[in-house]
Amino acid sequence: MVGVLAALFMSAPAQHSQQNQKTTVAAVNSKGGSIPSPKQYFGFDMGATGELQTWDQATDYLRLIGDRSNLVTYTNFAKTSLGNDYPYVLVSSAKNLGNIKQIMADNAKLSDPRGLSAKQAQDLAKKTVPVVYVEGTIHSTEEVGTPSIINAIYRLATEKSDFTNRVLNNTVMLFVPSQNPDGQMLVNDYFNQTADTSYSRIYPDLYSHYAGHDDNRDWYQFNLPESRAREQLFEMYHPVYQELIHQDASNAPRLYTAPYEEPLGNEIDPNTIETAGKLGLSQAEAMTAVGDTGVGHGNSYGVFWTADVADRDSYTGSSILINEIAQLNNLVYPVTSTNGKPLACGPISDQANSMDCPNPYNSTTWTFEQAVKYTDDAIYGAVDEVAKDPQTYLYNNLYTVASDAMTWTGGPYAYVVPANQRDPYAVYQLLSTLDFSKVEINQATAAFSANGKTYPAGSWVIKVQQPLGRYASEILNVDQYPDVRACSTCPLIFPYSEMTDNLPMELGVTVDSVKTAFDAPLKLLHGIAPAKVTMPPAPATHGAYLVDPNSYGIASFLSALQSANLQTFRTAAQFTSAGHTFAPGTIVIPPSGQARSVLQKAAAATGIPVYASNQTPQVQGFALKPGTKVGLIRGLNQQPGGWLEYMMDEYHVNWQAVTHDDYADLGQFDTIILGDGVSQNTIQNGLNTANYPPDWAWAAGAGATGWSELHDWVTGGGNLIALGSASTTAQQLLGLPMQNVRTSAVNVPGSDLRATYDPTVPAAWGMPQQWPVWYDNNPAWKITDTTNAQVASSYPNDSSTLLASGYESGSDALKGASNIATFKVGNGQATIAGTDLNFRAWTKVDWLVVANMIYQGPSKPVSATQMVSQPSFATLSAH
């Protein structure tokens, strides 16, 4: 087979070397006008050393090809986080593109086997063609993807060969030239602007506005518009495989492809995995045939344990091909071996060949041109394999995978989401995520029983035997990481990413797994909406509107009340009013027409009920400061800070980044947040501005003076929140009386641990008394002096394992330790959390803690009598 592939590829040398390409547009393939080659258009070959196209140039060129070729369509599909266009490009025969709606409909039908026999599916697969998906520049400093895609589109639009005819006639190629257009603009524009200067050429900050390098870790919660756009494309076109173009370290294989490393989750269909391995080896075979050395596979990238990297679509039969291409110097400059030996390929020393790399790399240098060529060769090798047998991939990857899901018995019968939970907004967000993923959701029209438990009418049922049932089970089940080892005495193999992706625990929703079948009166839902909320009659003049604190959705209420400059109180204790018991932290709002309007809008968006009392509760509490302003210290290129920005924007918090110049004026902030990863070094040293243009001066370190100014701001009355490793920074800054009990013997990488909360403490207002917390080998604190401390959350000191979902080793050492605590420090206060309460914006249940402390810190206490008289904030004395 190698010889056949070699003949196919060698018969058209232009397909692999952009320098030798010529414009060969046939009239039959053209709408009008010639199509310039990339070199003619950009002034350099794709992959030329030191050259990067801008995003505007790339999209203008691809749009031009779409305008001039009837083999290409260019579509601006969505908007990015920063409001830029998110395009995709279809490449196929004119016949296929003219019939694209029918192809989409046929492939959608194959993806849902109900009412379709195997014979009918086989016949349908013969009538349609598979879609293949190629995605570039997910991580924006991994530059090889977009130029490789430009090459591939130009070649398919202009070259007439057996290969291009086969691919065009037998597939539809869906190219996303960049999964992160914002980052392409930031990174590439910065690179070009710093040409011929002494400045660093690498963009120094997050290149996905919120996510940075995490932008492909959002592929099961779909927080970002880019993630949602990507998912919508998959649902429209149902690709049989997806090729994701990444770059790895410069000492990795020249190009890595499937098969992958362990572990393999129970929910993934084996057809998906086998196809990925087959296509990966087809890529390696095709590349070897044209002389590409140093291609590796296996022994890496165990991405199929959770759904954050092995995304939702791999559970639908869209096999993932991760291509990791060796990185260059400064994005696009050659790498040279430092020891005179050829650069790396596989895991065997001294470049001996191995099963993972049978054809080691044979050069001491690696160039951008080679990286682009290798990537193009990989693209062509995989799509050609599918083009030679399109019906098999349609049948196996779409119909068979969906059919297997309809009869899969590896999970429970169903998952039940009970009605009437403590947080209706969290339930809404969980169901909305499932619904967006096209998981079918039923709702009970009457009470029913399952597994010995009675569920009220309105409860939701997600049956597992449905086309997306295996995916639903992946993100709803409780993970117990298996004992995965290469041999009995070998070390445990850990996955590439996290150990669990339990969505209910991350959002704060109770979901029951029911193993055996049950009968229930159900209706299939079409779309999910927040719970309907009816506003109560307006309270009397001396009454109040009341909102329970038991949802992270109250962050929307708090910010809306702040934006409207409405007087707002929170109660310090439990109380009863109008037959309803309200928890500590209940929001109290004096009645007015504006208050009613603001509350009605927030309630409609979240499903959180609003109550009214004709008498303001006579209970101690706090008056929130109007116009609370938040400063964020996140450090450059730190993803936890980016996700904090996302959540604060999502909930319309009044915030701004703390810059170098702000340390002399920290009094402008009421609350300052230190994101996970912010250290004393981050604050004092910051960016070395000598290496960057003057407009980056704001990111300079604040020095020892700034460190002292932050200390004085807290002790003088400021409100500090420190998350994750930044809790250590807060301890160093303020001398907090606590000791980290986590040692190297504790290994809990990316899992959920049991935790307890004290909802009488302001930081934990509204939290359940017990709920898992996301833990990733974070600090855990023993409070050594509780005189000025309030512990809000701890790890229970009982006989049970702390593990709730995922993996743990040595976690007993954490028992009894504190996770969240608030300290009185001089006239101010500091709230620390050993864990990152906002990890990747996944752990939304804990956003309630952050929202509580953003506004609680700058508040002022009010007595029970004052609560009734509702004094203005300005007339109250300080803490």
Side-chain angles (χ1 to χ4, degrees):
M1 188 171 182
V2 171
V4 175
L5 282 169
L8 288 170
F9 281 89
M10 294 303 185
S11 64
Q15 64 190 303
H16 293 305
S17 177
Q18 190 65 55
Q19 291 178 335
N20 295 326
Q21 284 188 346
K22 297 179 180 179
T23 303
T24 55
V25 182
V28 69
N29 288 344
S30 178
K31 297 175 185 175
S34 64
I35 299 174
S37 70
K39 184 172 184 179
Q40 290 169 331
Y41 188 85
F42 295 99
F44 52 85
D45 288 314
M46 296 292 93
T49 294
E51 299 287 355
L52 271 182
Q53 76 292 331
T54 68
W55 178 242
D56 288 342
Q57 288 172 332
T59 53
D60 286 348
Y61 179 62
L62 295 176
R63 190 183 293 108
L64 179 148
I65 297 179
D67 289 342
R68 296 185 181 182
S69 172
N70 61 357
L71 306 179
V72 177
T73 62
Y74 178 97
T75 303
N76 278 328
F77 181 63
K79 292 293 183 181
T80 66
S81 297
L82 295 180
N84 294 307
D85 289 332
Y86 179 101
Y88 72 93
V89 180
L90 296 181
V91 183
S92 192
S93 67
K95 177 183 176 182
N96 287 338
L97 292 182
N99 197 37
I100 192 65
K101 290 185 178 180
Q102 187 61 50
I103 291 171
M104 294 163 67
D106 290 342
N107 291 357
K109 192 171 183 180
L110 286 168
S111 297
D112 187 345
R114 288 169 290 195
L116 196 65
S117 69
K119 177 61 167 60
Q120 289 171 323
Q122 290 168 349
D123 291 341
L124 183 57
K126 294 175 183 178
K127 292 171 52 182
T128 186
V129 296
V131 176
V132 302
Y133 177 97
V134 181
E135 178 178 86
T137 322
I138 302 154
H139 303 319
S140 300
T141 53
E142 299 173 6
E143 288 285 357
V144 74
T146 302
S148 300
I149 286 173
I150 289 171
N151 274 354
I153 292 173
Y154 170 72
R155 178 192 175 192
L156 291 166
T158 60
E159 178 186 292
K160 290 192 67 66
S161 67
D162 290 343
F163 166 76
T164 57
N165 288 339
R166 183 166 54 249
V167 169
L168 293 170
N169 290 328
N170 295 344
T171 72
V172 173
M173 297 196 72
L174 193 167
F175 290 98
V176 174
S178 176
Q179 169 61 16
N180 180 21
D182 293 345
Q184 275 274 277
M185 298 178 75
L186 293 170
V187 172
N188 290 27
D189 288 354
Y190 177 84
F191 177 85
N192 287 312
Q193 289 162 6
T194 53
D196 302 320
T197 72
S198 60
Y199 296 129
S200 169
R201 306 297 300 280
I202 310 296
Y203 184 74
D205 206 357
L206 297 173
Y207 46 70
S208 171
H209 180 62
Y210 294 117
H213 196 77
D214 274 349
D215 55 355
N216 65 330
R217 304 304 197 273
D218 185 47
W219 290 353
Y220 78 102
Q221 283 211 19
F222 309 112
N223 292 303
L224 304 176
E226 295 88 346
S227 303
R228 294 192 290 272
R230 181 185 195 277
E231 191 54 41
Q232 289 165 338
L233 285 177
F234 273 85
E235 184 56 29
M236 290 166 58
Y237 289 102
H238 300 279
V240 296
Y241 77 84
Q242 48 180 308
E243 183 166 352
L244 312 181
I245 302 171
H246 288 270
Q247 287 183 257
D248 201 344
S250 61
N251 62 351
R254 300 304 92 194
L255 184 141
Y256 172 89
T257 188
Y260 303 107
E261 172 70 288
E262 301 289 354
L264 179 61
N266 183 50
E267 282 73 18
I268 289 283
D269 191 289
N271 288 284
T272 304
I273 297 300
E274 297 290 4
T275 298
K278 177 182 178 181
L279 290 175
L281 291 176
S282 294
Q283 288 185 318
E285 180 186 30
M287 295 173 70
T288 299
V290 295
D292 296 337
T293 60
V295 178
H297 45 75
N299 200 47
S300 190
Y301 293 101
V303 298
F304 287 100
W305 173 248
T306 54
D308 60 325
V309 178
D311 60 358
R312 169 262 191 200
D313 306 293
S314 61
Y315 295 84
T316 69
S318 182
S319 296
I320 292 180
L321 281 182
I322 296 177
N323 285 163
E324 295 277 353
I325 298 91
Q327 188 61 274
L328 285 303
N329 282 327
N330 279 332
L331 306 182
V332 292
Y333 289 94
V335 170
T336 302
S337 171
T338 58
N339 59 10
K341 295 181 180 181
L343 291 165
C345 173
I348 308 300
S349 62
D350 294 326
Q351 288 302 118
N353 62 344
S354 69
M355 291 300 293
D356 292 327
C357 187
N359 191 19
Y361 191 59
N362 53 16
S363 175
T364 58
T365 60
W366 175 246
T367 68
F368 191 30
E369 180 183 24
Q370 287 175 289
V372 170
K373 174 191 182 300
Y374 273 46
T375 305
D376 280 325
D377 291 348
I379 292 172
Y380 304 145
V383 71
D384 198 33
E385 178 69 21
V386 173
K388 291 173 183 175
D389 190 11
Q391 285 73 39
T392 295
Y393 286 91
L394 281 164
Y395 184 82
N396 287 350
N397 279 58
L398 299 188
Y399 179 76
T400 300
V401 169
S403 297
D404 289 350
M406 298 299 299
T407 58
W408 183 59
T409 57
Y413 172 74
Y415 292 90
V416 179
V417 183
N420 308 321
Q421 297 204 29
R422 53 175 291 279
D423 189 345
Y425 183 59
V427 171
Y428 163 64
Q429 287 212 318
L430 180 138
L431 296 173
S432 294
T433 300
L434 293 171
D435 181 65
F436 181 79
S437 302
K438 302 302 179 184
V439 171
E440 293 175 356
I441 304 168
N442 291 278
Q443 190 168 29
T445 57
F448 66 95
S449 295
N451 201 32
K453 182 177 179 179
T454 299
Y455 293 93
S459 297
W460 298 269
V461 176
I462 298 99
K463 293 184 178 180
V464 169
Q465 290 187 344
Q466 58 164 297
L468 269 297
R470 295 176 83 139
Y471 171 69
S473 188
E474 171 58 46
I475 61 174
L476 296 177
N477 70 359
V478 174
D479 290 306
Q480 296 290 331
Y481 192 69
D483 191 37
V484 183
R485 303 173 191 271
C487 66
S488 60
T489 58
C490 293
L492 192 69
I493 298 173
F494 288 95
Y496 180 74
S497 191
E498 271 54 56
M499 310 299 290
T500 185
D501 52 3
N502 187 285
L503 188 63
M505 290 184 189
E506 292 166 1
L507 301 187
V509 181
T510 297
V511 176
D512 294 336
S513 172
V514 181
K515 291 185 178 181
T516 56
F518 57 87
D519 292 323
L522 302 175
K523 63 177 180 180
L524 181 65
L525 299 182
H526 300 282
I528 301 296
K532 292 183 179 180
V533 176
T534 301
M535 287 291 290
T541 303
H542 296 293
Y545 289 107
L546 306 171
V547 181
D548 245 326
N550 300 331
S551 169
Y552 61 84
I554 67 162
S556 294
F557 285 80
L558 292 168
S559 63
L561 293 165
Q562 288 270 313
S563 296
N565 199 32
L566 288 166
Q567 191 172 9
T568 306
F569 301 87
R570 299 193 73 176
T571 61
Q574 179 178 294
F575 67 95
T576 300
S577 178
H580 182 84
T581 299
F582 290 89
T586 292
I587 302 173
V588 179
I589 308 99
S592 69
Q594 185 184 21
R596 185 176 184 85
S597 176
V598 168
L599 294 171
Q600 187 168 18
K601 183 177 180 180
T606 61
I608 298 172
V610 175
Y611 301 88
S613 172
N614 287 323
Q615 178 60 52
T616 301
Q618 192 167 350
V619 59
Q620 289 183 337
F622 299 88
L624 303 191
K625 181 181 179 181
T628 298
K629 184 177 179 181
V630 178
L632 175 66
I633 300 175
R634 67 166 174 86
L636 284 177
N637 202 29
Q638 288 194 345
Q639 289 141 209
W643 286 118
L644 282 167
E645 291 186 6
Y646 168 79
M647 289 296 282
M648 288 195 289
D649 283 350
E650 184 75 3
Y651 290 101
H652 306 290
V653 174
N654 175 25
W655 76 275
Q656 74 178 48
V658 177
T659 70
H660 167 268
D661 296 329
D662 289 325
Y663 284 86
D665 185 26
L666 293 177
Q668 64 181 297
F669 301 111
D670 301 298
T671 295
I672 289 178
I673 302 178
L674 305 182
D676 181 42
V678 172
S679 64
Q680 182 174 356
N681 179 66
T682 306
I683 294 170
Q684 292 193 185
N685 296 328
L687 190 74
N688 184 349
T689 55
N691 295 332
Y692 295 90
D695 54 355
W696 288 95
W698 64 268
T705 299
W707 179 256
S708 296
E709 288 168 336
L710 181 60
H711 170 275
D712 293 346
W713 172 83
V714 179
T715 58
N719 177 46
L720 186 72
I721 301 172
L723 306 180
S725 65
S727 59
T728 300
T729 308
Q731 179 196 36
Q732 294 166 344
L733 177 73
L734 302 168
L736 300 178
M738 55 192 200
Q739 176 185 348
N740 185 8
V741 301
R742 191 256 162 177
T743 68
S744 59
V746 177
N747 187 19
V748 188
S751 297
D752 291 307
L753 295 184
R754 292 189 302 119
T756 60
Y757 292 84
D758 182 351
T760 67
V761 174
W765 278 341
M767 291 295 290
Q769 290 186 338
Q770 298 183 39
W771 197 261
V773 67
W774 181 266
Y775 187 88
D776 194 6
N777 288 328
N778 306 108
W781 297 104
K782 175 184 178 182
I783 309 302
T784 57
D785 183 351
T786 60
T787 305
N788 291 305
Q790 289 182 302
V791 175
S793 179
S794 300
Y795 301 104
N797 191 9
D798 56 28
S799 59
S800 300
T801 176
L802 288 181
L803 184 67
S805 185
Y807 169 85
E808 70 80 29
S809 176
S811 67
D812 281 357
L814 307 178
K815 288 183 176 181
S818 299
N819 181 36
I820 304 170
T822 299
F823 296 86
K824 178 74 173 172
V825 187
N827 292 322
Q829 68 177 25
T831 297
I832 61 93
T835 59
D836 182 359
L837 300 180
N838 187 47
F839 181 77
R840 291 180 179 163
W842 290 357
T843 54
K844 293 182 174 63
V845 61
D846 292 313
W847 187 251
L848 180 55
V849 175
V850 181
N852 283 340
M853 296 316 298
I854 282 175
Y855 300 107
Q856 177 61 19
S859 70
K860 293 181 180 179
V862 294
S863 66
T865 302
Q866 287 174 319
M867 182 69 80
V868 174
S869 65
Q870 298 173 351
S872 69
F873 182 86
T875 62
L876 291 167
S877 61
H879 285 264

